[in-house]
Amino acid sequence: MRTATEPVLTDDQIALYHEEGYQLVSGLMSEAIADQAEQAMWRLMEMDPADTDTWSRVPESADEFTEGRGVVIFNGLQDHDLMACATEDYLTTVAQLLGEPIGSLHPPEAVHTQNLLQRDVEWSLPRPHVDGIPKMHMHRTFPGPYRITSLFYLSDVEHQGGGTCAWPGSQRKIRELAESDPVAYEHLYDLNKDIPSLDLGEPIELTPKRGDVLFFQHLFGHNGSANVLPKPRFMMRFFCSCERCYSTWKKVDHWGHWAP
């Protein structure tokens, strides 16, 4: 049995993350934790997994609903079953990818959801972007609002079911663009406008399973895709209210994205 101080990822997995800019990892939580978290999402969304008529419902308690994208957002949730996804294996994996000592990271405090409802559109590949781009915050490109981010998928994602699209190795070309004109690209908001002009190669549509976690680097090119299937796609990331996380990557109210 692996102890809490032992690594989760192999050296090859870490090297691939630094080469391609992302890593989709399975097994960081038990099946029981993943199942409980998914059930918590169904309750939160006020949906019955056995009743398809409820799957298009927008819960009145949601903090935000973006109709065009079909995104249901809850901010600052501290539901026990969702927070349980921040396992020791997850925190160890983050530390390994950052090159930090195992056990040195502060845990997250809450959850931010980005659950996708079905959209009546023709599915297509999205354009690449980077995170941290709202104009209201004007995050600086360097050092950036985060070193690593992670997305938790709490439902199985099928083709055209709202998977994240990734451009492997794109972080190098995006960084090259940013460094080509530090004044013009001082802020991620301005850098993001020119990213679609880059030749980043062909994207990969990721179709994670329940319990999978997607990690990616600052300046990694990616984007969500539409969910054109009836079943909602459940996904979340972590929030934190500590001074460092809030000042680095603030999101809403007193919450910032967890930025270990």
Side-chain angles (χ1 to χ4, degrees), residues 238-258:
F238 281 126
F239 267 10
C240 186
S241 65
C242 78
E243 182 179 354
R244 180 182 180 279
C245 287
Y246 179 74
S247 63
T248 301
W249 196 6
K250 58 187 170 184
K251 181 64 179 179
V252 63
D253 296 331
H254 65 290
W255 294 112
H257 281 306
W258 183 61

Side-chain angles (χ1 to χ4, degrees), residues 38 60 70 83 110 114 120 131 157-158 164 167 200 224 226:
E38 181 183 13
E60 293 184 3
M83 292 305 300
Q114 292 188 0
D120 185 17
D131 279 350
V157 181
E158 300 178 26
T164 300
W167 280 259
L200 300 180

Side-chain angles (χ1 to χ4, degrees), residues 16 62 69 73 85 87 157 179 202 237 245:
L16 188 63
R69 296 173 56 212
I73 292 175
C85 295
T87 63
V157 181
E179 292 176 342
E202 292 298 317
R237 69 199 319 168
C245 287

Side-chain angles (χ1 to χ4, degrees), residues 16 18 72 117 123 125 151-152 196 210 231 243 254-255:
L16 188 63
H18 289 293
V72 179
L117 305 184
W123 192 88
L125 289 168
L151 307 180
F152 286 75
R210 184 187 69 180
K231 188 175 181 180
E243 182 179 354
H254 65 290
W255 294 112

Side-chain angles (χ1 to χ4, degrees), residues 45-155:
M45 296 289 286
E46 302 173 12
M47 296 176 178
D48 182 347
D51 183 359
T52 58
D53 290 340
T54 68
W55 291 1
S56 60
R57 177 183 298 165
V58 180
E60 293 184 3
S61 57
D63 291 305
E64 183 180 341
F65 174 61
T66 306
E67 186 171 1
R69 296 173 56 212
V71 182
V72 179
I73 292 175
F74 287 86
N75 290 314
L77 293 175
Q78 295 179 301
D79 181 276
H80 175 271
D81 290 332
L82 296 178
M83 292 305 300
C85 295
T87 63
E88 288 294 333
D89 281 354
Y90 165 71
L91 294 173
T92 294
T93 298
V94 176
Q96 284 189 268
L97 294 175
L98 290 175
E100 300 286 355
I102 293 174
S104 66
L105 304 182
H106 72 286
E109 298 177 345
V111 160
H112 162 74
T113 72
Q114 292 188 0
N115 295 333
L116 281 185
L117 305 184
Q118 183 183 31
R119 292 180 64 205
D120 185 17
V121 298
E122 182 177 351
W123 192 88
S124 61
L125 289 168
R127 300 193 305 173
H129 77 174
V130 294
D131 279 350
I133 57 175
K135 189 173 184 179
M136 70 181 77
H137 300 315
M138 292 301 283
H139 291 304
R140 294 186 181 278
T141 301
F142 298 110
Y146 67 98
R147 296 183 292 167
I148 189 172
T149 195
S150 48
L151 307 180
F152 286 75
Y153 296 87
L154 296 178
S155 57

